[in-house]
């Protein structure tokens, strides 16, 4: 009963593929938490989330799980909200990325905040990567797009990542979700209409990838 409407939409064969997919989400903040929610509601059974942070008051404007859990560990709170997911409470640094085994996962969703970590994740698992770029400082969800990292535009984080990859002579393709909307503030102001859209777009791309579309 719970997934009847997903089965109606995808059909039994494709829905079975979705259920069997193994997905890793790096970072479960304003983008990652919505990607998690979407994948979980779509029927993905094997989801692993990685994060080290606790919720603070400023997270409550955009992060699923934050409202009643200020001061609590994000992955622990989300494990209660989404029974059956796997959690890794871990600070994602370069050493961790170098040592972590990405092989068991069909897809890796990068919603982490640290640029150097994002670059190293791309180098290690670009073939199965969907990366979130800058979602803060924007208000127009209709401008959110999906493209190769090399075709993204109008995003300072994307430009920095491209430049660093070029310096490393890394030219492989991977998928990014980004917005070319001009930032509206210098600080890290955020709007759930955009950050949530990033997460939902990532989920949509993940489902299409699982189904081979």
């Amino acid at each position: 009963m719970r997934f009847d409407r997903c089965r109606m939409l995808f059909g039994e064969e494709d829905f079975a593929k979705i259920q069997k997919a193994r997905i890793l989400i790096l970072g479960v903040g304003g983008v990652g938490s919505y990607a998690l929610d979407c994948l979980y509601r779509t029927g993905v059974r094997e989801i692993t989330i990685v994060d080290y942070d606790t919720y603070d008051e400023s997270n409550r404007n955009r992060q699923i799980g934050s409202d009643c859990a200020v001061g609590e560990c994000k992955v622990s709170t989300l494990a209660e909200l989404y029974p059956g997911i796997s959690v890794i409470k871990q600070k994602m640094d370069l050493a961790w990325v170098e040592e972590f085994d990405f092989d068991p996962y069909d897809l890796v969703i990068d919603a982490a905040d640290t640029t150097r970590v994002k670059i190293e994740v791309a180098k290690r698992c670009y073939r199965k990567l969907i990366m979130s770029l800058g979602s803060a400082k924007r208000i127009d969800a209709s401008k959110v797009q999906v493209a190769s990292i090399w075709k993204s535009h109008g995003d300072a984080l994307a430009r920095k990542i491209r430049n660093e990859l070029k310096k490393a002579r890394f030219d492989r393709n991977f998928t990014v979700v980004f917005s070319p909307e001009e930032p509206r503030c210098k600080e890290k102001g955020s709007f759930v209409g955009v950050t949530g859209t990033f997460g939902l777009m990532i989920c949509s791309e993940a489902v299409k990838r699982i189904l081979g579309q």
Side-chain angles (χ1 to χ4, degrees):
M1 178 70 79
R2 176 181 172 186
F3 294 114
D4 280 356
R5 298 198 180 196
C6 292
R7 288 189 172 92
M8 290 177 195
L9 177 62
F10 297 112
E12 288 293 342
E13 184 176 342
D14 279 349
F15 184 66
K17 293 178 183 177
I18 290 169
Q19 287 192 300
K20 293 176 183 177
R22 297 162 297 176
I23 298 182
L24 177 70
I25 304 177
L26 306 178
V28 282
V31 173
S33 63
Y34 276 82
L36 166 62
D37 186 78
C38 181
L39 290 165
Y40 191 85
R41 293 180 189 277
T42 307
V44 179
R45 289 174 173 170
E46 295 191 46
I47 304 172
T48 300
I49 61 173
V50 185
D51 208 310
Y52 185 74
D53 288 342
T54 57
Y55 291 112
D56 63 42
E57 190 68 26
S58 69
N59 297 151
R60 294 182 65 192
N61 80 318
R62 69 196 183 284
Q63 297 189 19
I64 293 176
S66 61
D67 277 333
C68 300
V70 172
E72 300 296 322
C73 173
K74 291 182 182 181
V75 295
S76 299
T77 299
L78 292 171
E80 293 180 6
L81 292 174
Y82 302 95
I85 67 170
S86 300
V87 304
I88 301 174
K89 184 180 180 182
Q90 173 66 49
K91 184 174 182 178
M92 290 174 283
D93 55 22
L94 296 183
W96 179 81
V97 174
E98 290 173 2
E99 295 176 4
F100 187 75
D101 183 9
F102 292 95
D103 288 343
Y105 303 98
D106 300 309
L107 288 173
V108 176
I109 292 170
D110 172 20
D113 293 329
T114 307
T115 304
R116 293 180 66 193
V117 166
K118 298 176 86 69
I119 291 168
E120 292 307 311
V121 168
K123 291 177 181 177
R124 288 214 54 199
C125 53
Y126 63 91
R127 288 186 179 90
K128 51 188 176 183
L129 178 63
I130 303 173
M131 179 186 288
S132 171
L133 295 176
S135 62
K137 309 177 185 179
R138 295 162 171 85
I139 65 169
D140 190 348
S142 71
K143 287 189 165 61
V144 181
Q145 301 178 33
V146 179
S148 160
I149 182 62
W150 306 109
K151 293 185 178 180
S152 60
H153 56 93
D155 179 272
L157 176 58
R159 184 166 56 252
K160 184 173 183 179
I161 289 173
R162 287 194 302 270
N163 288 339
E164 292 300 317
L165 291 175
K166 287 176 183 177
K167 289 178 185 177
R169 298 187 177 182
F170 180 92
D171 61 358
R172 304 302 177 90
N173 277 318
F174 57 90
T175 299
V176 297
V177 176
F178 73 101
S179 171
E181 182 184 357
E182 190 73 22
R184 291 173 57 90
C185 60
K186 293 182 179 180
E187 302 79 13
K188 287 190 176 181
S190 58
F191 167 49
V192 71
V194 172
T195 60
T197 297
F198 267 63
L200 297 179
M201 288 282 279
I202 288 170
C203 176
S204 177
E205 287 302 305
V207 169
K208 289 191 289 183
R209 188 88 63 90
I210 292 165
L211 301 183
Q213 298 178 3

